[in-house]
PDB file of all heavy atoms in Angstrom:
ATOM      1  N   THR A  84      17.987  52.342   2.379  1.00 92.00           N
ATOM      2  CA  THR A  84      19.432  52.792   2.450  1.00 92.00           C
ATOM      3  C   THR A  84      20.284  51.778   3.144  1.00 92.00           C
ATOM      4  O   THR A  84      21.396  51.512   2.715  1.00 92.00           O
ATOM      5  CB  THR A  84      19.459  54.163   3.022  1.00 92.00           C
ATOM      6  OG1 THR A  84      18.639  55.078   2.259  1.00 92.00           O
ATOM      7  CG2 THR A  84      20.902  54.686   2.999  1.00 92.00           C
ATOM      8  N   PHE A  85      19.850  51.407   4.339  1.00 91.00           N
ATOM      9  CA  PHE A  85      20.808  50.690   5.206  1.00 91.00           C
ATOM     10  C   PHE A  85      20.519  49.104   5.166  1.00 91.00           C
ATOM     11  O   PHE A  85      20.752  48.425   6.087  1.00 91.00           O
ATOM     12  CB  PHE A  85      20.642  51.202   6.618  1.00 91.00           C
ATOM     13  CG  PHE A  85      21.038  52.487   6.691  1.00 91.00           C
ATOM     14  CD1 PHE A  85      20.060  53.546   6.910  1.00 91.00           C
ATOM     15  CD2 PHE A  85      22.398  52.896   6.695  1.00 91.00           C
ATOM     16  CE1 PHE A  85      20.491  54.838   7.006  1.00 91.00           C
ATOM     17  CE2 PHE A  85      22.689  54.289   6.807  1.00 91.00           C
ATOM     18  CZ  PHE A  85      21.770  55.198   6.932  1.00 91.00           C
ATOM     19  N   CYS A  86      20.056  48.624   4.069  1.00 92.00           N
ATOM     20  CA  CYS A  86      19.702  47.234   3.878  1.00 92.00           C
ATOM     21  C   CYS A  86      20.800  46.478   3.204  1.00 92.00           C
ATOM     22  O   CYS A  86      21.009  46.673   2.004  1.00 92.00           O
ATOM     23  CB  CYS A  86      18.365  47.137   3.080  1.00 92.00           C
ATOM     24  SG  CYS A  86      17.939  45.526   2.427  1.00 92.00           S
ATOM     25  N   ALA A  87      21.491  45.638   3.975  1.00 94.00           N
ATOM     26  CA  ALA A  87      22.686  44.850   3.404  1.00 94.00           C
ATOM     27  C   ALA A  87      22.162  43.785   2.400  1.00 94.00           C
ATOM     28  O   ALA A  87      22.750  43.715   1.320  1.00 94.00           O
ATOM     29  CB  ALA A  87      23.525  44.286   4.512  1.00 94.00           C
ATOM     30  N   PRO A  88      21.061  43.149   2.678  1.00 94.00           N
ATOM     31  CA  PRO A  88      20.591  42.146   1.664  1.00 94.00           C
ATOM     32  C   PRO A  88      20.198  42.822   0.383  1.00 94.00           C
ATOM     33  O   PRO A  88      20.187  42.184  -0.688  1.00 94.00           O
ATOM     34  CB  PRO A  88      19.397  41.464   2.330  1.00 94.00           C
ATOM     35  CG  PRO A  88      19.659  41.624   3.763  1.00 94.00           C
ATOM     36  CD  PRO A  88      20.284  42.915   3.923  1.00 94.00           C
ATOM     37  N   CYS A  89      19.819  44.090   0.390  1.00 95.00           N
ATOM     38  CA  CYS A  89      19.442  44.857  -0.796  1.00 95.00           C
ATOM     39  C   CYS A  89      20.669  44.970  -1.740  1.00 95.00           C
ATOM     40  O   CYS A  89      20.500  44.781  -3.004  1.00 95.00           O
ATOM     41  CB  CYS A  89      18.985  46.213  -0.497  1.00 95.00           C
ATOM     42  SG  CYS A  89      17.330  46.160   0.484  1.00 95.00           S
ATOM     43  N   ARG A  90      21.789  45.133  -1.200  1.00 96.00           N
ATOM     44  CA  ARG A  90      23.017  45.196  -2.006  1.00 96.00           C
ATOM     45  C   ARG A  90      23.310  43.812  -2.677  1.00 96.00           C
ATOM     46  O   ARG A  90      23.744  43.749  -3.809  1.00 96.00           O
ATOM     47  CB  ARG A  90      24.247  45.647  -1.152  1.00 96.00           C
ATOM     48  CG  ARG A  90      24.098  47.088  -0.800  1.00 96.00           C
ATOM     49  CD  ARG A  90      25.333  47.693  -0.134  1.00 96.00           C
ATOM     50  NE  ARG A  90      25.616  47.156   1.197  1.00 96.00           N
ATOM     51  CZ  ARG A  90      25.019  47.639   2.239  1.00 96.00           C
ATOM     52  NH1 ARG A  90      24.215  48.698   2.229  1.00 96.00           N
ATOM     53  NH2 ARG A  90      25.275  47.128   3.490  1.00 96.00           N
ATOM     54  N   HIS A  91      23.064  42.744  -1.914  1.00 95.00           N
ATOM     55  CA  HIS A  91      23.288  41.359  -2.460  1.00 95.00           C
ATOM     56  C   HIS A  91      22.265  41.141  -3.639  1.00 95.00           C
ATOM     57  O   HIS A  91      22.640  40.542  -4.563  1.00 95.00           O
ATOM     58  CB  HIS A  91      23.175  40.341  -1.402  1.00 95.00           C
ATOM     59  CG  HIS A  91      24.251  40.420  -0.321  1.00 95.00           C
ATOM     60  ND1 HIS A  91      25.471  40.180  -0.615  1.00 95.00           N
ATOM     61  CD2 HIS A  91      24.147  40.831   0.971  1.00 95.00           C
ATOM     62  CE1 HIS A  91      26.242  40.316   0.516  1.00 95.00           C
ATOM     63  NE2 HIS A  91      25.456  40.676   1.398  1.00 95.00           N
ATOM     64  N   THR A  92      21.046  41.540  -3.435  1.00 96.00           N
ATOM     65  CA  THR A  92      20.019  41.383  -4.337  1.00 96.00           C
ATOM     66  C   THR A  92      20.379  42.087  -5.685  1.00 96.00           C
ATOM     67  O   THR A  92      20.282  41.612  -6.799  1.00 96.00           O
ATOM     68  CB  THR A  92      18.681  41.916  -3.832  1.00 96.00           C
ATOM     69  OG1 THR A  92      18.302  41.051  -2.719  1.00 96.00           O
ATOM     70  CG2 THR A  92      17.539  41.767  -4.933  1.00 96.00           C
ATOM     71  N   LYS A  93      20.893  43.411  -5.541  1.00 96.00           N
ATOM     72  CA  LYS A  93      21.275  44.054  -6.735  1.00 96.00           C
ATOM     73  C   LYS A  93      22.503  43.359  -7.454  1.00 96.00           C
ATOM     74  O   LYS A  93      22.527  43.307  -8.642  1.00 96.00           O
ATOM     75  CB  LYS A  93      21.720  45.465  -6.337  1.00 96.00           C
ATOM     76  CG  LYS A  93      22.161  46.393  -7.558  1.00 96.00           C
ATOM     77  CD  LYS A  93      22.502  47.775  -7.050  1.00 96.00           C
ATOM     78  CE  LYS A  93      22.928  48.634  -8.176  1.00 96.00           C
ATOM     79  NZ  LYS A  93      23.259  49.960  -7.787  1.00 96.00           N
ATOM     80  N   ALA A  94      23.440  42.786  -6.663  1.00 96.00           N
ATOM     81  CA  ALA A  94      24.514  42.036  -7.256  1.00 96.00           C
ATOM     82  C   ALA A  94      24.021  40.839  -7.974  1.00 96.00           C
ATOM     83  O   ALA A  94      24.698  40.391  -8.901  1.00 96.00           O
ATOM     84  CB  ALA A  94      25.543  41.707  -6.156  1.00 96.00           C
ATOM     85  N   VAL A  95      22.938  40.246  -7.626  1.00 96.00           N
ATOM     86  CA  VAL A  95      22.397  39.150  -8.369  1.00 96.00           C
ATOM     87  C   VAL A  95      21.609  39.577  -9.613  1.00 96.00           C
ATOM     88  O   VAL A  95      21.788  39.043 -10.708  1.00 96.00           O
ATOM     89  CB  VAL A  95      21.502  38.256  -7.453  1.00 96.00           C
ATOM     90  CG1 VAL A  95      20.726  37.202  -8.260  1.00 96.00           C
ATOM     91  CG2 VAL A  95      22.292  37.607  -6.321  1.00 96.00           C
ATOM     92  N   LEU A  96      20.732  40.532  -9.376  1.00 96.00           N
ATOM     93  CA  LEU A  96      19.778  40.886 -10.483  1.00 96.00           C
ATOM     94  C   LEU A  96      20.337  41.791 -11.618  1.00 96.00           C
ATOM     95  O   LEU A  96      19.965  41.595 -12.726  1.00 96.00           O
ATOM     96  CB  LEU A  96      18.500  41.520  -9.837  1.00 96.00           C
ATOM     97  CG  LEU A  96      17.671  40.628  -8.967  1.00 96.00           C
ATOM     98  CD1 LEU A  96      16.451  41.436  -8.427  1.00 96.00           C
ATOM     99  CD2 LEU A  96      17.173  39.399  -9.677  1.00 96.00           C
ATOM    100  N   GLU A  97      21.219  42.677 -11.244  1.00 96.00           N
ATOM    101  CA  GLU A  97      21.692  43.620 -12.226  1.00 96.00           C
ATOM    102  C   GLU A  97      22.505  42.801 -13.309  1.00 96.00           C
ATOM    103  O   GLU A  97      22.172  43.035 -14.539  1.00 96.00           O
ATOM    104  CB  GLU A  97      22.589  44.687 -11.615  1.00 96.00           C
ATOM    105  CG  GLU A  97      22.842  45.893 -12.533  1.00 96.00           C
ATOM    106  CD  GLU A  97      23.384  46.998 -11.678  1.00 96.00           C
ATOM    107  OE1 GLU A  97      24.578  47.066 -11.491  1.00 96.00           O
ATOM    108  OE2 GLU A  97      22.598  47.932 -11.313  1.00 96.00           O
ATOM    109  N   PRO A  98      23.442  41.981 -12.982  1.00 96.00           N
ATOM    110  CA  PRO A  98      24.137  41.273 -14.049  1.00 96.00           C
ATOM    111  C   PRO A  98      23.199  40.263 -14.790  1.00 96.00           C
ATOM    112  O   PRO A  98      23.323  40.037 -15.959  1.00 96.00           O
ATOM    113  CB  PRO A  98      25.259  40.482 -13.303  1.00 96.00           C
ATOM    114  CG  PRO A  98      25.314  41.018 -12.008  1.00 96.00           C
ATOM    115  CD  PRO A  98      24.013  41.710 -11.670  1.00 96.00           C
ATOM    116  N   LEU A  99      22.257  39.706 -14.113  1.00 95.00           N
ATOM    117  CA  LEU A  99      21.251  38.817 -14.695  1.00 95.00           C
ATOM    118  C   LEU A  99      20.508  39.600 -15.860  1.00 95.00           C
ATOM    119  O   LEU A  99      20.401  39.048 -16.964  1.00 95.00           O
ATOM    120  CB  LEU A  99      20.319  38.305 -13.671  1.00 95.00           C
ATOM    121  CG  LEU A  99      19.324  37.228 -14.171  1.00 95.00           C
ATOM    122  CD1 LEU A  99      20.073  35.914 -14.527  1.00 95.00           C
ATOM    123  CD2 LEU A  99      18.280  36.930 -13.082  1.00 95.00           C
ATOM    124  N   ALA A 100      20.055  40.795 -15.539  1.00 95.00           N
ATOM    125  CA  ALA A 100      19.326  41.579 -16.434  1.00 95.00           C
ATOM    126  C   ALA A 100      20.213  42.053 -17.605  1.00 95.00           C
ATOM    127  O   ALA A 100      19.772  42.077 -18.805  1.00 95.00           O
ATOM    128  CB  ALA A 100      18.750  42.794 -15.786  1.00 95.00           C
ATOM    129  N   GLU A 101      21.544  42.296 -17.347  1.00 95.00           N
ATOM    130  CA  GLU A 101      22.448  42.729 -18.443  1.00 95.00           C
ATOM    131  C   GLU A 101      22.604  41.651 -19.470  1.00 95.00           C
ATOM    132  O   GLU A 101      22.809  41.948 -20.617  1.00 95.00           O
ATOM    133  CB  GLU A 101      23.679  43.194 -17.850  1.00 95.00           C
ATOM    134  CG  GLU A 101      23.598  44.487 -17.155  1.00 95.00           C
ATOM    135  CD  GLU A 101      24.927  44.879 -16.372  1.00 95.00           C
ATOM    136  OE1 GLU A 101      25.915  44.034 -16.397  1.00 95.00           O
ATOM    137  OE2 GLU A 101      24.948  45.935 -15.682  1.00 95.00           O
ATOM    138  N   ARG A 102      22.597  40.410 -19.000  1.00 93.00           N
ATOM    139  CA  ARG A 102      22.923  39.271 -19.949  1.00 93.00           C
ATOM    140  C   ARG A 102      21.666  38.503 -20.404  1.00 93.00           C
ATOM    141  O   ARG A 102      21.838  37.579 -21.076  1.00 93.00           O
ATOM    142  CB  ARG A 102      23.953  38.405 -19.386  1.00 93.00           C
ATOM    143  CG  ARG A 102      23.562  37.695 -18.152  1.00 93.00           C
ATOM    144  CD  ARG A 102      24.686  36.756 -17.636  1.00 93.00           C
ATOM    145  NE  ARG A 102      24.239  35.848 -16.663  1.00 93.00           N
ATOM    146  CZ  ARG A 102      24.335  36.054 -15.326  1.00 93.00           C
ATOM    147  NH1 ARG A 102      24.921  37.061 -14.876  1.00 93.00           N
ATOM    148  NH2 ARG A 102      23.774  35.128 -14.502  1.00 93.00           N
ATOM    149  N   THR A 103      20.463  38.995 -20.089  1.00 94.00           N
ATOM    150  CA  THR A 103      19.287  38.359 -20.481  1.00 94.00           C
ATOM    151  C   THR A 103      18.456  39.347 -21.384  1.00 94.00           C
ATOM    152  O   THR A 103      18.019  40.338 -20.787  1.00 94.00           O
ATOM    153  CB  THR A 103      18.485  37.868 -19.273  1.00 94.00           C
ATOM    154  OG1 THR A 103      19.247  37.054 -18.487  1.00 94.00           O
ATOM    155  CG2 THR A 103      17.196  37.053 -19.745  1.00 94.00           C
ATOM    156  N   ASP A 104      18.175  39.007 -22.659  1.00 93.00           N
ATOM    157  CA  ASP A 104      17.419  39.905 -23.433  1.00 93.00           C
ATOM    158  C   ASP A 104      15.968  39.934 -22.958  1.00 93.00           C
ATOM    159  O   ASP A 104      15.360  38.918 -22.472  1.00 93.00           O
ATOM    160  CB  ASP A 104      17.377  39.251 -24.930  1.00 93.00           C
ATOM    161  CG  ASP A 104      18.647  39.295 -25.596  1.00 93.00           C
ATOM    162  OD1 ASP A 104      19.451  40.212 -25.197  1.00 93.00           O
ATOM    163  OD2 ASP A 104      18.943  38.499 -26.489  1.00 93.00           O
ATOM    164  N   GLY A 105      15.403  41.103 -22.994  1.00 94.00           N
ATOM    165  CA  GLY A 105      14.035  41.292 -22.542  1.00 94.00           C
ATOM    166  C   GLY A 105      13.889  41.520 -21.074  1.00 94.00           C
ATOM    167  O   GLY A 105      12.733  41.697 -20.574  1.00 94.00           O
ATOM    168  N   LEU A 106      14.990  41.579 -20.267  1.00 95.00           N
ATOM    169  CA  LEU A 106      14.873  41.701 -18.857  1.00 95.00           C
ATOM    170  C   LEU A 106      15.626  43.040 -18.487  1.00 95.00           C
ATOM    171  O   LEU A 106      16.711  43.215 -18.917  1.00 95.00           O
ATOM    172  CB  LEU A 106      15.513  40.447 -18.191  1.00 95.00           C
ATOM    173  CG  LEU A 106      15.390  40.393 -16.610  1.00 95.00           C
ATOM    174  CD1 LEU A 106      13.939  40.302 -16.227  1.00 95.00           C
ATOM    175  CD2 LEU A 106      16.146  39.190 -16.122  1.00 95.00           C
ATOM    176  N   ARG A 107      14.965  43.766 -17.622  1.00 96.00           N
ATOM    177  CA  ARG A 107      15.514  45.039 -17.144  1.00 96.00           C
ATOM    178  C   ARG A 107      15.465  45.017 -15.618  1.00 96.00           C
ATOM    179  O   ARG A 107      14.398  44.594 -15.105  1.00 96.00           O
ATOM    180  CB  ARG A 107      14.778  46.270 -17.660  1.00 96.00           C
ATOM    181  CG  ARG A 107      15.391  47.548 -17.200  1.00 96.00           C
ATOM    182  CD  ARG A 107      14.772  48.722 -17.889  1.00 96.00           C
ATOM    183  NE  ARG A 107      15.397  49.967 -17.453  1.00 96.00           N
ATOM    184  CZ  ARG A 107      14.799  50.953 -16.868  1.00 96.00           C
ATOM    185  NH1 ARG A 107      13.466  50.862 -16.783  1.00 96.00           N
ATOM    186  NH2 ARG A 107      15.443  51.993 -16.556  1.00 96.00           N
TER     187      ARG A 107
END
Side-chain angles (χ1 to χ4, degrees):
T84 304
F85 299 105
C86 168
C89 295
R90 291 188 288 277
H91 295 292
T92 298
K93 182 178 180 179
V95 169
L96 296 178
E97 197 167 81
L99 185 69
E101 287 174 358
R102 64 179 192 263
T103 305
D104 292 335
L106 187 62
R107 180 172 183 240

